[in-house]
Amino acid sequence: MSHKVFIRYTEEDKMQARNADMLEVISRFRGFTFRRDGDCYRCVEHNSLVVQNDRHRWYWNSQSKGGYGAVSWLVDMEGYDFTTAVGILTNKLPEQQQIHSVTPFSAAPKSVPQKKEPFVLPVKADGKYSNVYMYLTKTRCIPADIVTYCFKQQLLYQDDHRNCVFVGYDEHNIAKFAEVRSSSSEHKYRKNVKSSDKAYSFNIRANVPTNRVFVFESPIDLLSHAALNCRNVKKVSEQKGIPYDKTCWLKHNRLSLSGTSYMAVLEEYLKRYPEIKNIACCLDSDETGVRTANTIHSYFSQKGYIVTIHHASIGKDYNDTLVELSLQDQQQAAIQTITDPLDDTEQSAISISPIGNQQLKR
């Protein structure tokens, strides 16, 4: 349906339209209501429709749509052209072309930061982080050198309840975000620490210049992708007979979205690192992950970014792939051990070697 009109507007008119309160605009056009949800407003009738705290930025995840300001909503969601949209928001359409109530739309109120409790990291466990180390290396099959790197960089630690704590830092290397998840495969416990700033969600920066970031749903998927990266590089190195670089995974930027406000998380990350022009979406292959990846693709492609969508080759996420391939490697190694004949020296060594407890190293 076309609603084209031709009217000349002043810069003040355009500014008034841009500043219109998104909550009021959507409410008048769709009859939707919103409730405060952390640092955003979430639609009661459609849970995937979110308006940010500034009441300008909006994302409708299930529709793969998003934008800034009421004009973008009227153009993308209501089907009006730009001129008509400005006319509606400023109440300056000719009377015979008035589409909505003649009551002018209010300007969005200035965003006032809500008072938050201070952000406090969970208490660290005394001594070694044995539970987290074993969970990540044995259950999740993430290589020990990657886990150790995260420990040393204080990106990861074990709290006094034996949980994994993944930490995000700001530009001044001050912790601003933490995600806690159980180190037990029997208990699926996962949450962001209260008052975490999602703009600094868990991420690992590349140690070389690069204009691409890989985006994941969780820290576990992020580290699993790093592990698969190492696995592939190692295989190629062996085939070519060249030394294998264990730090190869650090040549890429990786970001965990860690929650529902994923568009805002990614947008803030890209503002901090303007050199990044390529976004690789590595989200789950389930319905939610596919929908989220499509939303990111649609929104950021319009902003000029090159966006690609990738899915794990086995299972629904990259950890599923890593665990399955690690199991195949173990099975292949066991078969190789059985089929390879041993000489007398090797046989003697096996028969006299004592079996002891393996020392945990970090």
Side-chain angles (χ1 to χ4, degrees), residues 155 165-169 177-181 190-192 196-205 213-225 252-270 272-273 279-284 292 296:
L155 294 165
V165 181
F166 298 94
V167 186
Y169 295 85
F177 172 90
E179 178 180 332
V180 179
R181 72 178 301 149
R190 175 181 171 185
K191 72 170 186 177
N192 294 341
S196 283
D197 187 343
K198 294 180 181 177
Y200 298 100
S201 183
F202 179 79
N203 70 94
I204 298 180
R205 293 281 292 155
V213 60
F214 290 85
V215 180
F216 306 89
E217 291 189 22
S218 72
I220 295 289
D221 287 341
L222 184 157
L223 298 178
S224 298
H225 183 270
H252 305 285
N253 296 309
R254 293 181 172 89
L255 169 68
S256 168
L257 299 177
S258 298
T260 56
S261 301
Y262 56 84
M263 293 290 279
V265 170
L266 182 52
E267 199 158 36
E268 290 298 323
Y269 181 89
L270 295 172
R272 289 202 303 278
Y273 305 111
I279 303 169
C281 289
C282 303
L283 309 184
D284 292 1
T292 301
I296 290 173

Side-chain angles (χ1 to χ4, degrees), residues 9 13-14 49 111 117 144 169 202 254 303 343 355 357:
Y9 294 110
D13 292 332
K14 295 175 184 177
L49 174 57
S111 178
E117 294 181 19
Y169 295 85
F202 179 79
R254 293 181 172 89
K303 288 179 169 286
D343 61 27
I355 299 176
N357 294 325

